[in-house]
Each structure stands twice: as C-alpha cells, then as structure tokens.
Amino acid sequence: MASVSMEYGLILAGILFTLGLAGVLVRRNLLFMLLSIEIMLNAAGLAFVVAGARWAQPDGQVIFLFILTLAAAEVSVGLALILQFYRHVKTLDADAADEMRG
Amino acid sequence: MLSLLWLIPALPFAGFTILALAGFRLSRRGVALIGVGSVGLSAFLTLVLGGSFLLSPPAGQAFTQTLWSWIDVAGFRPEIAFRLDALSLIMILVVTFVGFLIHLYSADFMIDEEGYSRFFAYMNLFVGAMLTLVLADNLLLLYLGWEGVGLCSYLLIGFWYREPENGRAARKAFIVTRVGDAAMAVGLFLLFAQLGTLQIQELMQRAPAQWAVDSGAAIAAAALLLGGAVGKSAQLPLQTWLPDAMAGPSPVSALIHAATMVTAGVYLIARTNVLFSLAPSVMSAVAIVGALTLLLAGFSALTQRDIKRVLAYSTISQIGYMFLALGVGAWSAAIFHFMTHAFFKALLFLGAGTIIIRLHHEHDMFKMGGLRREMPTTFWTFLIGSASLAAIPLLTAGFYSKDQILWSAWSSSAGSPWLWAAGLVGALLTSLYTFRMVFLTFYGEREPLVQELSPVPRLGVRVRLPLVVLAVLSVVGGLVDLPRTLGNLPLLSDFLHSVLPAANMAAEGVGTELLFQVIAGAVSLGGVYLAYLLILRRRQVVEGWTASPLGSALHRLWFAGWGFDWLYDTLFVRPYVWIARTNRRDVVDLFYEGLARLAEVLHGLLSRTQTGRVRWYAAGIALGAVVVIALAVLL
C-alpha cells in the first residue's frame, strides 16, 4: 500500500489546526467560531490517525473515534449555548458579551 | 457588741445602693433622709462601738471580724475582714463624724442642685469606701477602698460636669493619683512575692523577721508604698491635682480633699510603720517630702486669690506636717494632727462654701471684704477654724497637734534642726496666709459685691449646726493629748501605743520643751500680726513688693504653685499628646497599609487583562500553549 509519509500528514494537520485557531481568534460570529473549533478537532484527529498509521497501531484510530463523539457532544452543547446567547443579546457577535470585564 | 463592726461601712454602701437605684424616684426630703441618715447611723454605731471598745478592750487591743474569703487561689487568700484597733477607731470616728456633719450641711447646701440624689449617692459611696480603707485587715482590701475613694473623688470633682473645666480637673486628679497608685500596686506585688501574704498583721510580723534593717527589699517596699501615699495625699511631687480639685462643690472639698481621703496616705504609712522603720532612708525621705511640701504649699497659699485654693494649698501644707511627723517617727503626732486638721479644715471649707453661695459663686477674696457683719455665724466659726489652723497657742486644737510635730522634729532621734526650722517657717506662713484670708474676707472695706447683698434669712440649722460643732471640736479637740508642759495628759498617744510605737525622743528637759512651745506660739501670733499689718494697715507695702520685678516674678511663680503644672505639662503631657497626635494614623499600620496598596495596584494591572471577550482568552491560552511547548522543545 502506497503510503503518504508521516511528515506530510502532520504538516497538513498543523496547517488545518492553525487555520482553525486563526478562525477562532479572528472570527467574531459564534457559529463560525464553532466551525473553526471543529476544524481544530479534526486536525488533532488527523494527527492521531497519521501517527497510528506510521507505527501501525490501532490506537490512533480509536482516539479518532473518541474525538468524533467528543465533537458531536461539543457541537450539541455549543449550539444550545449559541441559541441561548442569541436570545439574550440578540446577536451572534462574541465580543458583545463582555459583561464579565474585570 | 463589736460584732456589729461590719455595719459601719455597710450602712453607707446601703445608702449608696438605694440612692443609685431609686434616687430619682425619691423626693429631696427622702434623698436627704437616706443620704444623711446612713452616715449618721454609721457615726452613732461607731460611737457605741468605740465606747464598748474603751470600756472593755478586746484581747490584744484589737478586734478582727472576718466576713468571708474574697479570693482563694494557690495560697493567695485575701479575706473581707475588718480590724478595729486604736488607730482604725480614731480614723473611723473622725470619718463618720466629720462625714456626718458634712452630709448634714450638704442636705441644705446642695438643695437647689439638679443632681441632688446623685450627689448623696456619691458621697455615701465615698464614706463607705473610706471606711473600708481604714478598717481593712489586709492590704488588698485596703487597696480596694483606696481606689474606691479615688473614684468618688473623680466623680465628685466633676460633679458639675457641664463645665468642661471641671471634667478636666477631675481627670487630672484621677490620673495624677493613679501615678502613685501604680507605685503602690507594685509595692503590694513586691510584698506578696517576698513575704507571701498581704494580711497586715502578718506582714508586720514577717517583715522584721525576714528583712534586715536597710535591706534592699525593705527600702523598695517602703518607697513604693510612699509613692502611693504621696499621690493620694497630694505631696511633692504629685501635689498638683489638689488645687484643681476645688472645682467640686464645697462639701466635697471639705470631706474628701481636706478631712479624709487626702489623709489616707498618712494612714497608710502609720499602718505599715514597721515596714518604714526597717527603711530609715525612706523615713528620712518621708520627712523631707513633708518639710518641702509644707514650705512650697505655704508660699503658694500666700499668693492665691481664690478662697478655696488658699484652703487647698493649706491642706497640702498641713498634710506636709503629718508627713514630717511620720518621717521622724512621731506616728501618734501625725494621727493627732490628722484629727484636729479634719475638724478645722472641714470647718473652713464649709464656711467658705456658705460665703461662696452667699456671694453668688464668687471665689475671689479681693471681691469680698467686710463680711463680718453680714454673716456672723460664718464669721465666728471661720475665725475659730482659722485660729486653729494658724495654731494660736493654748486655745486651739491646732496648736497642740502642730506643737507636738514641731517638738518631735527637733527632739526625735530621726529629727534634725533643719526639719524643725522648716516646720517653724511653715507655721509662720500658715498663720500669715490664714489671717490674710480672714482679713481679706471679713474685715476692711465692703467691696461692691458685698454692699449689694440683700438681707437674707439666717443660715438654716442644718448648715449652722455642723459649723458650730466643728468649731467647738476645733477648740477642744486638742485636749485629748496635752504635752507634759501643759497638764501632761497624753490620752491619745497612750491609746495609740498599742498600734503605733512611741517616738524615740532624746531626753530633753521640760524647760527646753516649754521654750520651743513659746517660740512656736510667738511665731504663730507674729504671723497673725504681720498679716494684720500687711493686709489691713499697710496694703501699699505688699503692693510695692508685688510691683517690683523680683516680687512680681516670685508672685507669679508662687501663684502657679511653683510651676509644677507647667513642668509636667512640658515633660509629660505635651510630648504624650504630640505622640498621640502623630500616631493618630497608626504609624505601625503604615507598613501593612503599603502592602495592601501594592496588592491593589497589581490587582488593578491584572484585572485589565480580564476583558470579558472570549477570543482574547482563547488567544491567551494559545499563546501560553505555544510558550510552554516552545520551552519544552528548546530546553
């Protein structure tokens, strides 16, 4: 089986993670921030799968399954929070909710 | 019969309790009945007990009544116990009798006052505390009475508390005497630590057995007790409070600041005479303190304008005589002078009180004058009291007691010609300032204030009776102890010998003693004549003296009581106030306040980062993770 070398896989995972992080930091819309977090999670999952393939261990794919369920739970909680947030402040701008300013 | 002893202090205390709890509900009549009656009953009981004591003396010339034990901790077991012996009998006789007469006088004198029941409550409390003091069988109970009379003195000096000046005088008296009391408390600790008891009789037995004459412990204990006595009896260097204490009503000055409380120091020293005999150097200190005080106070009394301040300085000076007598070992002479002084000084204060009330609270003697015809009863009794104070020979009680002191100062083994000379100069000063007061007040031109006086009904019987009785006592009081040149009937000294040892007199001839009496008498009469010349005949001579630079400087110095107030103000009060003011913001706290301020600043800086924006927090977490990973990789 022709395999992609691990470095490429990890670099891709790194790029995806960076994109996701940049999305969280730059985007102000909560929905897009949630999407960016999903990308970051998937980047992490990709890194596990690549590492599992490299050492021919099933653990990497097992961890990915965990990340998948985690992501599902996170999205459901996140969406519920966003819904409440929208009702409360009538916007999806994350910076509008700075009531806890120190 | 003697077992009723406890009632003597208990009755005034009961009077105090009733007046304090229910005084505001009682009519003035009721208040007077309880206030005067309790002390009167106490005086009557004292008389009965005294008679029974004299007729059938108890074993050992003393009767001790233990009521209950006060504290019982690890061998320290002071008891509430009263001891009646010759010394305490004389003391309670004077305290209850003079106290009763003064209460009787106050019932009329204070009738218009707002705090009528408060006044009698305090006065009763005072008499009770004073009786506890003199009857106490152990030094701790004595100390309780000692502080009790101090408290009453404070309360009564500040009786007219609406005037801030009176409150200041009361605080001054309290604080200055407290200096002496602190010394006395330390003395009691020392006695207990060294001798293991505070019971007076045991102390007086153990002290000579355990301490050598002139040993350090004996000197320290005697000196500390002397400190307490000096504070309470307004002797040098703690005499400054007494002239200011005249802010209180006149009966208070008569009872507390002339007849009884201020002589508590004399009583204390006489009571612990064994201790003082073990410390001859402290004995000489007592004599020197007495001699200096009587001179300084005598000079100050010469210059006062306020009639009550003259009497206050005179009290300081007369107690100086008592200290002089104690210092040369003439214990019974001191108690004799205490007794006669209580009679004539109480009389003078009460007389001064009637004058002051009649002249609408005018204290200045220079605004009086010619009162002789306006107030005959006051004049005659006041004259008798003054004669006794000035020790007019043969007739007055003051002569017999003061002469005994002067004679002891010369002939006792602890005496010296210097002490005698100081006493003699003091006697001249005494008759000079006393008759200056009499001539200024009763003789001479009638000042405008006196001319305006409307004729008022004569003094009430409750005012006149104490004046007359005290006047009689000021004359016949001296007959209880006649020197060997004049009848040789030393009843009082003989009576006191069971408690107080006889003075160690050098064997001097009767002729010498007679000579000294003639000298003392001549000096006292000379003082009166001098006062007559200077006040009534040649007033301009005195005015010439006070106008000269030296004279006016001396006058100011004496008028201000030798500047002791100024000295203490500069040495203690002002630095203390300065420190207090500086420390108002709590110097020590500055460090902790700085610490708190620093934490607050840092907190302020950190709280800036709490923007409440979730993206910033995410960025912070990312940055932190990068830093941690970078460190992990690089290191």
Side-chain angles (χ1 to χ4, degrees), chain B residues 318-330:
Chain B
Q318 296 306 307
I319 298 170
Y321 273 107
M322 297 176 212
F323 269 62
L324 176 61
L326 294 169
V328 298

PDB file of all heavy atoms in Angstrom, chain B residues 318-330:
ATOM      1  N   GLN B 318      -0.595  71.296 105.398  1.00  0.00           N
ATOM      2  CA  GLN B 318      -0.832  70.634 106.688  1.00  0.00           C
ATOM      3  C   GLN B 318      -0.561  69.132 106.607  1.00  0.00           C
ATOM      4  O   GLN B 318      -0.065  68.532 107.555  1.00  0.00           O
ATOM      5  CB  GLN B 318      -2.269  70.876 107.159  1.00  0.00           C
ATOM      6  CG  GLN B 318      -2.580  72.332 107.441  1.00  0.00           C
ATOM      7  CD  GLN B 318      -1.607  72.963 108.408  1.00  0.00           C
ATOM      8  OE1 GLN B 318      -1.364  72.466 109.489  1.00  0.00           O
ATOM      9  NE2 GLN B 318      -0.999  74.071 108.004  1.00  0.00           N
ATOM     10  N   ILE B 319      -0.865  68.537 105.443  1.00  0.00           N
ATOM     11  CA  ILE B 319      -0.538  67.116 105.305  1.00  0.00           C
ATOM     12  C   ILE B 319       0.982  66.962 105.260  1.00  0.00           C
ATOM     13  O   ILE B 319       1.530  65.953 105.718  1.00  0.00           O
ATOM     14  CB  ILE B 319      -1.221  66.518 104.066  1.00  0.00           C
ATOM     15  CG1 ILE B 319      -2.729  66.622 104.234  1.00  0.00           C
ATOM     16  CG2 ILE B 319      -0.857  65.059 103.898  1.00  0.00           C
ATOM     17  CD1 ILE B 319      -3.492  66.290 102.996  1.00  0.00           C
ATOM     18  N   GLY B 320       1.648  68.001 104.749  1.00  0.00           N
ATOM     19  CA  GLY B 320       3.105  68.010 104.820  1.00  0.00           C
ATOM     20  C   GLY B 320       3.588  67.886 106.261  1.00  0.00           C
ATOM     21  O   GLY B 320       4.538  67.154 106.560  1.00  0.00           O
ATOM     22  N   TYR B 321       2.893  68.577 107.172  1.00  0.00           N
ATOM     23  CA  TYR B 321       3.238  68.443 108.599  1.00  0.00           C
ATOM     24  C   TYR B 321       3.077  67.002 109.069  1.00  0.00           C
ATOM     25  O   TYR B 321       3.900  66.473 109.813  1.00  0.00           O
ATOM     26  CB  TYR B 321       2.341  69.342 109.452  1.00  0.00           C
ATOM     27  CG  TYR B 321       2.862  70.747 109.609  1.00  0.00           C
ATOM     28  CD1 TYR B 321       2.270  71.802 108.940  1.00  0.00           C
ATOM     29  CD2 TYR B 321       3.960  71.009 110.416  1.00  0.00           C
ATOM     30  CE1 TYR B 321       2.748  73.084 109.064  1.00  0.00           C
ATOM     31  CE2 TYR B 321       4.445  72.296 110.552  1.00  0.00           C
ATOM     32  CZ  TYR B 321       3.838  73.330 109.869  1.00  0.00           C
ATOM     33  OH  TYR B 321       4.324  74.582 110.006  1.00  0.00           O
ATOM     34  N   MET B 322       1.975  66.384 108.616  1.00  0.00           N
ATOM     35  CA  MET B 322       1.752  64.997 109.047  1.00  0.00           C
ATOM     36  C   MET B 322       2.865  64.101 108.524  1.00  0.00           C
ATOM     37  O   MET B 322       3.364  63.227 109.242  1.00  0.00           O
ATOM     38  CB  MET B 322       0.400  64.498 108.532  1.00  0.00           C
ATOM     39  CG  MET B 322      -0.779  65.270 109.100  1.00  0.00           C
ATOM     40  SD  MET B 322      -2.320  64.692 108.371  1.00  0.00           S
ATOM     41  CE  MET B 322      -3.293  66.171 108.376  1.00  0.00           C
ATOM     42  N   PHE B 323       3.285  64.323 107.291  1.00  0.00           N
ATOM     43  CA  PHE B 323       4.367  63.510 106.727  1.00  0.00           C
ATOM     44  C   PHE B 323       5.665  63.758 107.500  1.00  0.00           C
ATOM     45  O   PHE B 323       6.440  62.838 107.735  1.00  0.00           O
ATOM     46  CB  PHE B 323       4.563  63.820 105.240  1.00  0.00           C
ATOM     47  CG  PHE B 323       3.743  62.939 104.346  1.00  0.00           C
ATOM     48  CD1 PHE B 323       2.372  62.957 104.411  1.00  0.00           C
ATOM     49  CD2 PHE B 323       4.342  62.074 103.443  1.00  0.00           C
ATOM     50  CE1 PHE B 323       1.609  62.137 103.612  1.00  0.00           C
ATOM     51  CE2 PHE B 323       3.590  61.249 102.636  1.00  0.00           C
ATOM     52  CZ  PHE B 323       2.220  61.285 102.715  1.00  0.00           C
ATOM     53  N   LEU B 324       5.870  65.021 107.862  1.00  0.00           N
ATOM     54  CA  LEU B 324       7.055  65.346 108.654  1.00  0.00           C
ATOM     55  C   LEU B 324       7.049  64.557 109.954  1.00  0.00           C
ATOM     56  O   LEU B 324       8.056  63.958 110.346  1.00  0.00           O
ATOM     57  CB  LEU B 324       7.063  66.856 108.921  1.00  0.00           C
ATOM     58  CG  LEU B 324       8.160  67.418 109.816  1.00  0.00           C
ATOM     59  CD1 LEU B 324       9.520  67.148 109.205  1.00  0.00           C
ATOM     60  CD2 LEU B 324       7.977  68.920 110.000  1.00  0.00           C
ATOM     61  N   ALA B 325       5.879  64.520 110.599  1.00  0.00           N
ATOM     62  CA  ALA B 325       5.777  63.774 111.847  1.00  0.00           C
ATOM     63  C   ALA B 325       6.032  62.287 111.618  1.00  0.00           C
ATOM     64  O   ALA B 325       6.767  61.645 112.380  1.00  0.00           O
ATOM     65  CB  ALA B 325       4.391  63.980 112.464  1.00  0.00           C
ATOM     66  N   LEU B 326       5.449  61.734 110.543  1.00  0.00           N
ATOM     67  CA  LEU B 326       5.666  60.316 110.257  1.00  0.00           C
ATOM     68  C   LEU B 326       7.144  60.052 110.016  1.00  0.00           C
ATOM     69  O   LEU B 326       7.706  59.060 110.487  1.00  0.00           O
ATOM     70  CB  LEU B 326       4.871  59.902 109.016  1.00  0.00           C
ATOM     71  CG  LEU B 326       3.352  59.939 109.109  1.00  0.00           C
ATOM     72  CD1 LEU B 326       2.747  59.760 107.734  1.00  0.00           C
ATOM     73  CD2 LEU B 326       2.846  58.869 110.043  1.00  0.00           C
ATOM     74  N   GLY B 327       7.781  60.971 109.282  1.00  0.00           N
ATOM     75  CA  GLY B 327       9.176  60.772 108.901  1.00  0.00           C
ATOM     76  C   GLY B 327      10.119  60.774 110.089  1.00  0.00           C
ATOM     77  O   GLY B 327      11.178  60.142 110.048  1.00  0.00           O
ATOM     78  N   VAL B 328       9.767  61.483 111.166  1.00  0.00           N
ATOM     79  CA  VAL B 328      10.649  61.471 112.327  1.00  0.00           C
ATOM     80  C   VAL B 328      10.175  60.443 113.358  1.00  0.00           C
ATOM     81  O   VAL B 328      10.685  60.406 114.471  1.00  0.00           O
ATOM     82  CB  VAL B 328      10.760  62.865 112.985  1.00  0.00           C
ATOM     83  CG1 VAL B 328      11.362  63.850 112.009  1.00  0.00           C
ATOM     84  CG2 VAL B 328       9.416  63.351 113.485  1.00  0.00           C
ATOM     85  N   GLY B 329       9.216  59.612 112.956  1.00  0.00           N
ATOM     86  CA  GLY B 329       8.804  58.521 113.840  1.00  0.00           C
ATOM     87  C   GLY B 329       7.775  58.913 114.873  1.00  0.00           C
ATOM     88  O   GLY B 329       7.459  58.126 115.744  1.00  0.00           O
ATOM     89  N   ALA B 330       7.246  60.130 114.777  1.00  0.00           N
ATOM     90  CA  ALA B 330       6.221  60.544 115.741  1.00  0.00           C
ATOM     91  C   ALA B 330       4.859  60.165 115.181  1.00  0.00           C
ATOM     92  O   ALA B 330       4.086  61.011 114.737  1.00  0.00           O
ATOM     93  CB  ALA B 330       6.313  62.052 115.976  1.00  0.00           C
TER      94      ALA B 330
END
